Amino acid sequence: MVRKSKEEADKTYHALLDAALDLFKERGVAQTALNDIARAVAMTRGAVYWHFENKDDMVIALWQRDGQTVLDRLVADLKRPHLDDPLRAFQESVRSVVALLSQNPRRADVIRLTLSCQEFAERDTELQQLLRRIMAELYDGIVCAMERPSNQGRLQAGLPVPLAAYAVWSSVLGMAQWRLPQNDAITLGDAAPVVVEMFLGAVLRQPDGG
């Protein structure tokens, strides 16, 4: 009986998250009320509060369920110690993540949603703490990936590792956050490796020094 109750609670939890994601995509987080989410799954507002304190809590839960795995995979790839060819390694890492998102488009939606919640404010909410951690983890991974070509003398002359990493970091975050125009034939799978190659080409020198 206890097991059944837990299974039902888990089912409700995920149903609420799925409904929240759909409504956040359709209306935006600010324009979606907890009552709207409850009605979408034929539940009461109390059922929402049983699992989540507020909408920020739901965004955090969505990230933990669907987004963190993608970030962990990308950062782990970037921190691998045997990246002898930085350009190829970056491209392979990006293609791997894009393939992961293609298999589950809702993960891409969660990443885009979470990153869009970044506010130009000094509030230290749990959601803003999460966003800062996401940014820091991605940046640290890219710094690690940039250190090897720096040691090999492959960064453009006078370009420090933090600045090179920042340029690539900005590119990756931009691709993660923005959706291509609906009438555009370019897909994320096509665009991501090319854009990364362009940014890396601006910070890396060719192996022969050219």
Side-chain angles (χ1 to χ4, degrees), residues 164-178:
Y166 176 76
V168 179
W169 175 83
S170 300
S171 171
V172 173
L173 281 178
M175 287 187 294
Q177 187 168 355
W178 298 107

Side-chain angles (χ1 to χ4, degrees), residues 38-163:
R39 282 195 297 267
V41 290
M43 296 180 188
T44 65
R45 183 176 173 131
V48 180
Y49 279 120
W50 179 261
H51 293 278
F52 308 101
E53 293 184 8
N54 48 44
K55 288 184 290 185
D56 279 10
D57 199 21
M58 300 189 88
V59 173
I60 292 170
L62 281 165
W63 173 263
Q64 292 172 340
R65 188 186 73 171
D66 298 323
Q68 187 63 47
T69 300
V70 179
L71 178 63
D72 289 344
R73 180 167 176 171
L74 178 57
V75 171
D77 281 348
L78 293 174
K79 288 186 174 182
R80 284 184 299 171
H82 54 281
L83 303 182
D84 295 321
D85 186 338
L87 176 56
R88 181 179 178 184
F90 263 103
Q91 289 173 320
E92 289 179 352
S93 297
V94 169
R95 286 194 180 97
S96 174
V97 168
V98 169
L100 187 64
L101 296 178
S102 298
Q103 294 166 8
N104 188 345
R106 292 180 75 82
R107 283 179 171 171
D109 290 334
V110 167
I111 291 172
R112 189 177 298 114
L113 167 70
T114 305
L115 295 180
S116 71
C117 291
Q118 179 70 43
E119 294 182 348
F120 186 70
E122 296 183 356
R123 293 191 311 150
D124 197 29
T125 65
E126 188 175 353
L127 178 55
Q128 297 307 309
Q129 291 174 13
L130 170 66
L131 287 164
R132 287 197 294 272
R133 180 177 61 77
I134 292 170
M135 306 296 182
E137 287 182 12
L138 178 59
Y139 179 74
D140 288 346
I142 295 174
V143 167
C144 286
M146 288 282 97
E147 286 175 348
R148 180 174 290 272
S150 175
N151 294 335
Q152 296 171 341
R154 289 193 55 191
L155 287 186
Q156 296 290 351
L159 186 62
V161 168
L163 185 55

